[in-house]
């Protein structure tokens, strides 16, 4: 096919993700508090994302309490832990290795969705996931060959 808006968004997201990994690689060794820095990252993510909450078809005038509970629990749990783990890991792991780990997030999420929630994937989605795994495996294999005597 053709290039659509979702493809462009995916590409922009990939560039932003790569930028974050490289930025963290530069900043991580100088950060005194991983927890403080993770909190700062979450605040900036919220500030950048907030304007987009007002773009769209409609805005709910009243947000149900259960939605706030879900939002806060996702922000305080998985998001905070992910930023914290990333800070800690990138103090000792090369940016290329960190990038490979983040690259595998989507195929693992798809596989777990299939395993636990019986989600159905289209052939193109399976092929995309396999391509990501193949690239990661080839990259890891190549770096291991370079290190061996």
């Amino acid at each position: 096919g053709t290039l659509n808006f979702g493809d462009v968004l995916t590409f922009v997201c990939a560039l932003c993700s790569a930028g974050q990994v490289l930025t963290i690689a530069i900043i991580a060794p100088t950060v005194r508090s991983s927890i403080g820095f993770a909190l700062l990252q979450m605040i900036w993510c919220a500030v950048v994302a907030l304007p987009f909450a007002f773009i769209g078809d409609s805005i709910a005038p009243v947000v149900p309490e259960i939605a706030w509970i879900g939002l806060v629990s996702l922000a305080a749990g998985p998001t905070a832990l992910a930023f914290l783990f990333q800070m800690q890991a990138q103090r000792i792991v090369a940016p290329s290795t960190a990038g490979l780990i983040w690259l595998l997030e989507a195929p693992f999420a798809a596989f777990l969705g299939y395993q636990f929630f019986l989600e159905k994937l289209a052939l193109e989605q399976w092929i995309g996931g396999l391509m990501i795994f193949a690239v990661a495996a080839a990259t890891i294999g190549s770096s291991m060959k370079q290190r061996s005597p």
Side-chain angles (χ1 to χ4, degrees):
T2 60
L3 185 68
N4 62 38
F5 185 62
D7 297 332
V8 173
L9 287 178
T10 300
F11 182 71
V12 170
C13 183
L15 290 177
C16 291
S17 181
Q20 185 204 24
V21 168
L22 293 174
T23 302
I24 296 298
I26 294 167
I27 294 173
T30 64
V31 171
R32 292 184 189 159
S33 168
S34 295
I35 294 173
F37 191 77
L39 182 62
L40 188 62
Q41 282 188 89
M42 287 178 33
I43 290 169
W44 274 110
C45 284
V47 167
V48 170
L50 190 59
F52 292 100
F54 300 102
I55 299 172
D57 296 337
S58 65
I59 298 174
V62 177
V63 178
E65 183 179 331
I66 191 73
W68 285 112
I69 292 169
L71 179 66
V72 169
S73 66
L74 286 173
T79 303
L81 287 174
F83 281 136
L84 181 61
F85 289 157
Q86 180 184 9
M87 271 306 292
Q88 291 297 101
Q90 282 202 245
R91 289 175 188 247
I92 56 173
V93 173
S96 58
T97 304
L100 284 173
I101 293 168
W102 307 151
L103 179 70
L104 294 172
E105 178 185 2
F108 275 112
F111 176 73
L112 292 173
Y114 172 77
Q115 276 299 114
F116 293 109
F117 302 111
L118 304 176
E119 291 185 13
K120 304 294 182 211
L121 298 178
L123 179 62
E124 294 87 1
Q125 293 169 312
W126 283 109
I127 292 171
L130 289 173
M131 288 171 62
I132 291 172
F133 274 118
V135 167
T139 304
I140 292 168
S142 173
S143 68
M144 290 176 76
K145 284 180 186 176
Q146 291 174 356
R147 289 186 195 164
S148 62

